Amino acid sequence: MRLSNATLANLPVSVARPEYDRHAQPPGIVHIGPGAFHRAHQAAYVDAILPHDPRWSISEVALNSTGVADALGPQDGLYTLALLDRSTDYRVIGSIAELLTAQRRDAILSRIAAPTTRLVTTTVTEKGYHLDGTGALDLDHPAIVRELTGAEPGTLSGWLVAGLAARRAAGGGAITLLSCDNLADNGHRFRRSVRDLAAARDPDLAAWIDDHVRFPCAMVDSITPATDDALRASVQAATGVEDAWPIQREAFTQWVIEDDFATDRPPFELAGVQFTRDVRGFENAKLRLLNGAHSTLAYVGLLLGHVMVRDAMRDPVLAGFAERLMRDDIAPSIVPPAEMDLSAYIDAVLGRFANPAIAHQLAQIAWDGSQKLPYRLLDTVRDARAAGRPVDRLALPIAAWFRFLELRRHSGETLVDPRADALLARAGDAAALLDLRDVFGDLSDDATFRDAVTRRWHALAPGGDVRAALGE
């Protein structure tokens, strides 16, 4: 049997399922980018509030693939979420009311324009916003150049500009656009990506956006390993039905949202969301401590032959280095919110990394390094340089990334990164990689930083002792 509305009643009582009318009202949320993290995180929060307020189901929009629609369409949008802790709990998520792909252009624009739609959320990863080094829309990017010619929308910005134009024309009223990506100041950057394109194409629409659209910042957190055959098998054994695309994540989850909505907002506080006027402290702690340490474990761990985060955390030398990096080099760059204990937060992150139930592949974390590292590590380097603190330890994961690129070039394995060609062309030459200003910005001119990375890069040379390089 396949998971669907018709087979929900056959699930074991131990499996949680939707306890609400899934189609009581039209969707109130349009989500762009229905990947694993969104379905493990935001869609699960929505599932939790729908019994209290049925206005907030989700219309999922996939711009670049039909995979999610193909998998979940026959399942009526249902899928299983496995929560991994000391024991594994299974929950069927029912918050997806509609699945749209780019082939259904008119349906997507109509849904964004509909007055019942009050919120558009996104998880398109850092590269989906097409921003330049200043945080503005990269008007020279080939995809954005195509948008400026008046072609059919193809980018996130293009689709939203088209959707907001349709909303203005239809009198759909004010709306909130909420980024859920790991991007520093994501609300402000999201606004630039949309408004800059609107201003370039239609200044009147840009003015309407200023008056009618809000872009709150947000911080999201939950470790979400990729779906694999082992998960599919465990889900089928636990539920008794086949699920084409189940999702797994750790039991821990966090969502902090700036309380800046254009209209009424979903009652996410009922599901544990924290609304605040200042997301930055939470965001910096997560991006720099958790994500910065994650990338460190990925690049160094892969050099040591580890496969999973939990394997890297069983390596006492690497785990010790990651903890020192967090406590001594990253934490001093963070001004935490009053309600956050940084030391306790670091303890919790280390415990989450070591969770034996989480099979999170280091190779997956290593994707898109040129997009992730500026926010995860390089901003911390800048703060350390400005404060006169050493950057030797912070330089090591950058050097490990360089060696990772070199290994990818020699092996011929695919490098998942939007700058793959430029990175692979320079792999094996630390100086040439440090000259990439679209990655390193002003740090390309910082002699102290360059020297620290170069020394660490030599220490991580093939055939060398990586663990020795992690020592003080």
Side-chain angles (χ1 to χ4, degrees), residues 130-337:
H130 295 99
L131 302 174
D132 63 19
T134 70
L137 183 68
D138 184 357
L139 295 174
D140 295 324
H141 191 286
I144 300 302
V145 171
R146 286 193 295 273
E147 299 283 9
L148 292 173
T149 66
E152 288 291 299
T155 66
L156 172 68
S157 304
W159 278 100
L160 287 173
V161 166
L164 292 173
R167 188 177 184 89
R168 179 181 62 158
I175 191 169
T176 301
L177 272 56
L178 175 64
S179 169
C180 302
D181 282 297
N182 279 323
L183 194 66
D185 293 323
N186 54 11
H188 304 140
R189 294 175 185 271
F190 191 15
R191 181 180 183 276
R192 290 294 301 273
S193 73
V194 174
R195 193 192 181 283
D196 284 1
L197 183 61
R201 294 186 60 171
D202 181 353
D204 289 340
L205 177 60
W208 184 88
I209 290 171
D210 290 340
D211 293 337
H212 293 85
V213 185
R214 305 301 298 168
F215 296 82
C217 292
M219 187 277 283
V220 296
D221 189 11
S222 196
I223 296 171
T224 306
T227 297
D228 54 19
D229 288 340
L231 174 63
R232 290 186 176 90
S234 70
V235 165
Q236 184 157 0
T239 64
V241 296
E242 179 187 354
D243 186 338
W245 205 333
I247 298 295
Q248 59 186 337
R249 69 161 167 83
E250 63 175 334
F252 174 91
T253 185
Q254 186 178 23
W255 196 2
V256 181
I257 305 175
E258 182 182 9
D259 196 359
D260 181 23
F261 283 68
T263 60
D264 56 339
R265 57 173 169 79
F268 283 138
E269 67 275 6
L270 298 177
V273 170
Q274 183 172 356
F275 289 98
T276 180
R277 297 302 300 178
D278 182 13
V279 175
R280 184 181 294 270
F282 295 96
E283 177 186 80
N284 283 345
K286 194 263 180 173
L287 279 170
R288 298 188 181 196
L289 286 168
L290 187 144
N291 293 135
H294 237 176
S295 289
T296 299
L297 291 172
Y299 296 123
V300 181
L302 289 168
L303 292 181
L304 288 167
H306 299 308
V307 176
M308 305 288 182
V309 173
R310 64 193 183 194
D311 303 328
M313 289 299 293
R314 292 191 189 108
D315 184 327
V317 176
L318 177 52
F321 176 85
E323 181 170 0
R324 291 193 301 276
L325 183 78
M326 295 169 74
R327 295 192 188 281
D328 298 340
D329 299 280
I330 301 177
S333 74
I334 297 168
V335 179

Side-chain angles (χ1 to χ4, degrees), residues 289 323 326-327 331 341-351:
L289 286 168
E323 181 170 0
M326 295 169 74
R327 295 192 188 281
D341 180 333
L342 273 189
S343 180
Y345 181 78
I346 292 170
D347 290 341
V349 167
L350 292 169

Side-chain angles (χ1 to χ4, degrees), residues 58-73:
I58 305 170
S59 173
E60 296 284 1
V61 175
L63 300 181
N64 300 310
S65 169
T66 64
V68 173
D70 293 342
L72 301 190

Side-chain angles (χ1 to χ4, degrees), residues 241-468:
V241 296
E242 179 187 354
D243 186 338
W245 205 333
I247 298 295
Q248 59 186 337
R249 69 161 167 83
E250 63 175 334
F252 174 91
T253 185
Q254 186 178 23
W255 196 2
V256 181
I257 305 175
E258 182 182 9
D259 196 359
D260 181 23
F261 283 68
T263 60
D264 56 339
R265 57 173 169 79
F268 283 138
E269 67 275 6
L270 298 177
V273 170
Q274 183 172 356
F275 289 98
T276 180
R277 297 302 300 178
D278 182 13
V279 175
R280 184 181 294 270
F282 295 96
E283 177 186 80
N284 283 345
K286 194 263 180 173
L287 279 170
R288 298 188 181 196
L289 286 168
L290 187 144
N291 293 135
H294 237 176
S295 289
T296 299
L297 291 172
Y299 296 123
V300 181
L302 289 168
L303 292 181
L304 288 167
H306 299 308
V307 176
M308 305 288 182
V309 173
R310 64 193 183 194
D311 303 328
M313 289 299 293
R314 292 191 189 108
D315 184 327
V317 176
L318 177 52
F321 176 85
E323 181 170 0
R324 291 193 301 276
L325 183 78
M326 295 169 74
R327 295 192 188 281
D328 298 340
D329 299 280
I330 301 177
S333 74
I334 297 168
V335 179
E339 57 268 46
M340 175 178 280
D341 180 333
L342 273 189
S343 180
Y345 181 78
I346 292 170
D347 290 341
V349 167
L350 292 169
R352 292 166 62 194
F353 286 168
N355 185 344
I358 300 291
H360 200 179
Q361 295 186 7
L362 297 174
Q364 179 188 1
I365 300 166
W367 293 348
D368 299 322
S370 72
Q371 302 289 295
K372 294 175 178 176
L373 293 180
Y375 307 109
R376 296 184 175 198
L377 287 167
L378 297 184
D379 283 344
T380 303
V381 170
R382 289 186 178 89
D383 286 351
R385 293 289 294 126
R389 295 191 296 270
V391 295
D392 284 350
R393 250 191 307 262
L394 289 164
L396 189 134
I398 305 301
W401 178 48
F402 288 178
R403 291 297 182 188
F404 166 80
L405 297 175
E406 192 174 347
L407 289 172
R408 278 294 187 272
R409 188 184 70 178
H410 290 322
S411 69
E413 294 180 73
T414 299
L415 176 64
V416 181
D417 194 294
R419 295 185 174 94
D421 291 344
L423 295 171
L424 292 174
R426 293 164 173 78
D429 186 339
L433 287 165
L434 287 164
D435 285 339
L436 286 170
R437 291 185 176 275
D438 56 350
V439 177
F440 292 101
D442 58 320
L443 290 175
S444 290
D445 299 321
D446 189 314
T448 298
F449 172 68
R450 292 182 69 102
D451 178 67
V453 172
T454 302
R455 283 188 286 106
R456 292 294 199 173
W457 179 74
H458 284 299
L460 296 174
D465 188 341
V466 175
R467 288 189 175 84

